[in-house]
Structures are given as structure tokens and as C-alpha cells.
Amino acid sequence: MEISTATGWWVAAGIAVAAELGTGTFYLLMIALGLAAAAVAAHLGFAVPMQIVAAALVGGGATGFWYWHRRSRDSTDRAAHENRDVNLDIGEHVFVSAWSADRTARIDYRGSGWTARLAPGAPAARGEHVISAVEGNWLVLSPTSPA
């Protein structure tokens, strides 16, 4: 039994998808797209060199585009400890009754006691604050209104 070139490309694409599922590397999906493009080129009757060109153009182009897209988006994103998409506590409001001399406070939030510290440059004032970051088990707080 002879295996067609298109079948080989489809198998390679399947292996790339399986490897992506095992590693979580999204770029492997872009490579799999290129391999699938080569399989489609084989089904359309293109010669092997043209199939390789199709795989390189689609896979390389998709990988390059995804890299560019991630880089341009990441430059405007916040770090994970300040990103509400990562931590839903960011942006929530808490009440601080008193600050210590070291700019920390003990607050009740979500039914338990938390240690909080002031964001750099924020005044140590009693009252409502917003969670601007979560660093480990510390909440970083900023006043809700300028003092």
C-alpha cells in the first residue's frame, strides 16, 4: 500500500497539533496550518517543491504574524500581577481603617484577613481604596480618589 504525499502532510499536521496539545505552544498550531496548506496543495496536484513552498509561506507567515501580533499587544498589556484578565481582584474596592508606619495595613477582603501595602506615591489615608495589583499574598492599594 502506497501512502500519498497529501496523507503524509496531513499526518505531519496532526503530529504538530498533538505536540501543541502536549506542550501548549501556540506556534505549533501555526506550523500545523502550513502543513495543512501543503496537504491541500498536494490534493490540488501541485508538485512537491510547490507543496513545500506552500507549507513555508503559510506556516512561516502565520508564525510571523502571530509573533508580531503578540509583541504589539504585549507592549500595551500590564504585567500579570496588575492585569484584571489574570486576577479578578484587580479593581475591587476595599476599606482601610488605618495604615501602619511602614505603609502596610491589615484589611478584611473576601471573608479573610489580608495584608495590604500602598502603591508607590499614594498617600496613607484612611478610607476606600482600590486594589491595583496582587503581589503574592499582598494586596497593593491605591486611593479611589486623590487626597
Side-chain angles (χ1 to χ4, degrees), residues 34-49:
L35 295 170
V40 169
H43 283 298
L44 294 174
F46 288 100
V48 172

Side-chain angles (χ1 to χ4, degrees), residues 4 7 11 24-25 34 37 40 46 54 66 82 86 93 99 101-102 106 114 121 127 131 135 137 144 147:
S4 70
T7 302
V11 168
T25 305
V40 169
F46 288 100
W66 186 251
E82 298 175 338
V86 175
H93 294 262
W99 289 99
D102 63 353
R106 197 73 184 144
W114 289 72
I131 301 171
E135 297 174 350
N137 59 349
T144 54

Side-chain angles (χ1 to χ4, degrees), residues 56-146:
L57 287 176
V58 173
T63 302
F65 172 77
W66 186 251
Y67 178 81
W68 169 81
H69 175 70
R70 295 280 303 186
R71 285 291 173 205
S72 66
R73 195 183 77 194
D74 286 346
S75 65
T76 60
D77 282 351
R78 295 179 178 186
H81 70 276
E82 298 175 338
N83 189 341
R84 184 159 172 85
D85 292 336
V86 175
N87 190 326
L88 294 177
D89 293 324
I90 308 296
E92 295 297 315
H93 294 262
V94 295
F95 185 83
V96 178
S97 55
W99 289 99
S100 301
D102 63 353
R103 297 175 52 91
T104 63
R106 197 73 184 144
I107 61 167
D108 289 325
Y109 175 63
R110 289 195 292 141
S112 64
W114 289 72
T115 304
R117 68 172 156 240
L118 272 168
R126 178 181 188 272
E128 189 170 320
H129 287 69
V130 65
I131 301 171
S132 57
V134 178
E135 297 174 350
N137 59 349
W138 288 73
L139 299 176
V140 180
L141 304 181
S142 299
T144 54
S145 61

